[in-house]
Amino acid sequence: MYIILKLFYLFSFIRIIRIVNGIDINNEKDFVENINNNKKEQIFRIHNEIIINDKDILSPSIKNITIIGSTKEESIINFKNNDSINILFSKYCQSIFLKDITFIGNLQFIDNQNITFNNVNYNGYYIAEHTYEDEDNNSEIKVYDSNFILPNIRQGYEIKNWNIDIFRSNFYGNNQHEMYMIKFKSTLEQSNILKIDQTFFDGNFHNSALHCDYGSINVYNSTFQKCYNGDNLKGGGAISFLNTISLIRNVTFENNYSDFAGGSILHENVYTSNIDSVNFYNSSSSISGNTFATINNNQYNSEIELSNIYQYGNCTNNYNVEGSIFSSSGSNIITMDNYHGKNLCYGDAINVEGDGKIKLSNFFAEDIYYKFENSFIKTHSPQTKGPDISIMNCLIKNIYQNYNFYSAALTTINMGTIRFELYILNITTS
Ligand SMILES: *[C@@H]1O[C@H](CO)[C@@H](O)[C@H](O)[C@H]1NC(C)=O
Ligand SMILES: *[C@@H]1O[C@H](CO)[C@@H](O)[C@H](O)[C@H]1NC(C)=O
Ligand SMILES: *[C@@H]1O[C@H](CO)[C@@H](O)[C@H](O)[C@H]1NC(C)=O
Ligand SMILES: *[C@@H]1O[C@H](CO)[C@@H](O)[C@H](O)[C@H]1NC(C)=O
Ligand SMILES: *[C@@H]1O[C@H](CO)[C@@H](O)[C@H](O)[C@H]1NC(C)=O
Ligand SMILES: *[C@@H]1O[C@H](CO)[C@@H](O)[C@H](O)[C@H]1NC(C)=O
Ligand SMILES: *[C@@H]1O[C@H](CO)[C@@H](O)[C@H](O)[C@H]1NC(C)=O
Ligand SMILES: *[C@@H]1O[C@H](CO)[C@@H](O)[C@H](O)[C@H]1NC(C)=O
Ligand SMILES: *[C@@H]1O[C@H](CO)[C@@H](O)[C@H](O)[C@H]1NC(C)=O
Ligand SMILES: CC(=O)N[C@H]1CO[C@H](CO)[C@@H](O)[C@@H]1O
């Protein structure tokens, strides 16, 4: 009798815990009914794989909704309809929280306040939007310790008028050529924040990682590899910054390529960009700027500040790139301190179009290859006074010139000023 009482007591205790800890979802019917109709329950617990064949868009109206698994391996939500939106979280859902789960499906978020992915394998795309602009800029998407794998359709992660914080996560691209994995859009007034730390992007030689239009972008301690961009999207290999303020620190770019400008990074009409402690391995463009290209056709100056840059090129392609190091077009102010580069192929190392102000210091470049009418620095198409370039403490070692006609190895300039303080070692002409 005592034992039975004790068991009964234990049983009610477990029941209480269950109520406190939300509701168990065991199958498709549970999931669909509760997501659509349950207005009270906040926590949905998933313990096994739940396959959802229902093709209708689910639309919860729960203020604070948590979908939580036991582990990513055991707890799986798997939508079979994988080429359109599966769940739409409208503005009634203020806070959405996914944790310890594998989620296969596509999500749409409209006017919510907080979205969190914590320890999630996410195989799908999502679209997150605030339909209002310039009002509330405190809403945040958090992506922590998660793996995001894009399904093989032409849609990535779209984030409009949200702040987003990505931490210790991995993003894997798909087989769609010329697509952005993440598209981040804000406005001048709202200036949302995108923060990326300790995160890995793999563009699968098809996708570009990041497109940011307005906003303040911080990328730390991360890697961008195998990214590709082309002539349709007209962006940089891994990253395209438009109208942004950005900071990139302790980041590696590896095997990125653009058929447009900027092998790894394209700056287009940006306000400022600060790039510190960054490696570029095998980063190339077929047009301009193997590491980065800065294009500005605006009234204000784009200010690009770089320090501690390492570049190691791979001379496997034959492009006559405008800037095997970088290129500048328009009224940019570019300063670069402490640069080391090796294997720079095959165009002008630094190409300056228009009236840029370029200041290089502690600059070491080794094994520079020319195949065409190339120079170490080439300036062209001056707007008013031409560019103003200064180089302090510069060492250039081994320029290999393979061209049948006359070409100036160091500088080609048709207006403006260049001031060199340098040591040149070994120019080889063949
Ligand atoms: C939403 O639910 C989660 C999990 O129970 C909780 O941590 C969080 O504080 C809740 N947020 C709000 C705004 O109620
Ligand atoms: C959103 O998150 C912030 C902090 O991250 C918190 O202060 C706020 O209460 C959350 N809002 C909701 C609706 O959960
Ligand atoms: C969708 O699911 C089907 C069947 O599982 C699969 O063959 C197809 O590759 C999936 N599509 C995408 C875009 O993942
Ligand atoms: C929100 O916008 C205001 C100006 O409208 C700006 O001062 C503030 O820094 C912004 N906050 C965030 C988190 O972006
Ligand atoms: C990431 O970057 C920030 C800012 O540079 C730095 O403070 C932090 O220590 C870094 N984290 C790791 C794990 O390196
Ligand atoms: C740079 O980032 C890597 C991760 O990519 C990290 O291991 C390392 O500690 C970071 N270094 C600094 C100085 O932050
Ligand atoms: C550099 O890129 C080429 C293709 O252009 C590739 O074959 C090679 O493996 C890359 N090298 C390194 C060191 O990653
Ligand atoms: C380019 O990459 C290939 C493959 O990784 C390598 O064999 C070759 O040595 C590299 N070339 C240079 C110049 O680094
Ligand atoms: C310059 O080239 C010569 C002949 O190839 C070589 O012996 C010498 O070491 C080179 N100097 C430097 C500083 O690389
Ligand atoms: C330098 C580099 O890694 N180039 C590769 C970039 O990606 C394209 C395909 O997207 C490859 O063809 C290049 O070899």
Side-chain angles (χ1 to χ4, degrees), residues 11 51 55 73 81 85 90 93 100 137 259 272 277 279 295 313 338 378:
F11 184 60
I51 293 174
K55 281 189 160 31
E73 290 70 34
N81 172 23
I85 295 293
S90 69
C93 308
D100 303 331
N137 60 0
D259 250 329
T272 63
S277 305
N279 299 317
I295 299 173
N338 198 17
K378 185 181 281 174

Side-chain angles (χ1 to χ4, degrees), residues 173-353:
N174 63 21
N175 289 327
Q176 302 284 324
H177 262 118
E178 289 199 58
M179 196 189 87
Y180 291 107
M181 294 164 79
I182 298 180
K183 268 182 98 164
F184 175 86
K185 190 162 180 3
S186 185
T187 60
L188 180 61
E189 291 73 24
Q190 178 143 338
S191 192
N192 288 102
I193 299 168
L194 165 58
K195 214 171 111 195
I196 296 174
D197 189 10
Q198 293 170 61
T199 290
F200 174 81
F201 290 87
D202 181 338
N204 195 34
F205 290 124
H206 288 75
N207 307 157
S208 178
L210 210 53
H211 180 277
C212 304
D213 190 6
Y214 288 101
S216 171
I217 322 296
N218 300 303
V219 185
Y220 302 112
N221 317 326
S222 294
T223 297
F224 293 81
Q225 74 169 29
K226 299 182 190 160
C227 293
Y228 168 78
N229 212 332
D231 200 39
N232 287 324
L233 295 180
K234 300 197 187 308
I239 296 179
S240 302
F241 284 143
L242 288 76
N243 312 299
T244 53
I245 294 167
S246 65
L247 172 61
I248 298 183
R249 178 171 296 154
N250 185 29
V251 168
T252 294
F253 292 93
E254 204 168 352
N255 287 318
N256 298 311
Y257 172 70
S258 175
D259 250 329
F260 190 67
S264 284
I265 304 170
L266 171 66
H267 299 117
E268 211 177 304
N269 298 328
V270 299
Y271 295 97
T272 63
S273 172
N274 189 309
I275 301 179
D276 179 19
S277 305
V278 169
N279 299 317
F280 294 95
Y281 301 111
N282 222 359
S283 171
S284 46
S285 157
S286 61
I287 308 236
S288 68
N290 272 351
T291 60
F292 72 92
T294 297
I295 299 173
N296 184 343
N297 41 38
N298 244 319
Q299 299 301 319
Y300 56 83
N301 298 316
S302 290
E303 290 184 34
I304 318 294
E305 200 178 311
L306 303 105
S307 45
N308 309 312
I309 304 300
Y310 184 78
Q311 179 183 6
Y312 188 95
N314 187 299
C315 303
T316 39
N317 57 42
N318 253 325
Y319 305 122
N320 183 21
V321 64
E322 293 193 333
S324 61
I325 302 177
F326 71 85
S327 69
S328 166
S329 168
S331 57
N332 306 305
I333 301 174
I334 299 181
T335 61
M336 197 183 221
D337 182 46
N338 198 17
Y339 166 88
H340 288 251
K342 194 171 158 65
N343 288 332
L344 309 172
C345 310
Y346 278 105
D348 313 307
I350 295 173
N351 190 286
V352 183
E353 179 184 358

Side-chain angles (χ1 to χ4, degrees), residues 63-64 94-96 113-116 138-140 142:
K63 202 168 169 190
N64 182 6
Q94 291 182 354
S95 176
I96 300 125
Q113 287 177 21
N114 288 356
I115 303 170
T116 304
N138 292 317
S139 302
E140 185 166 61
K142 290 192 175 82

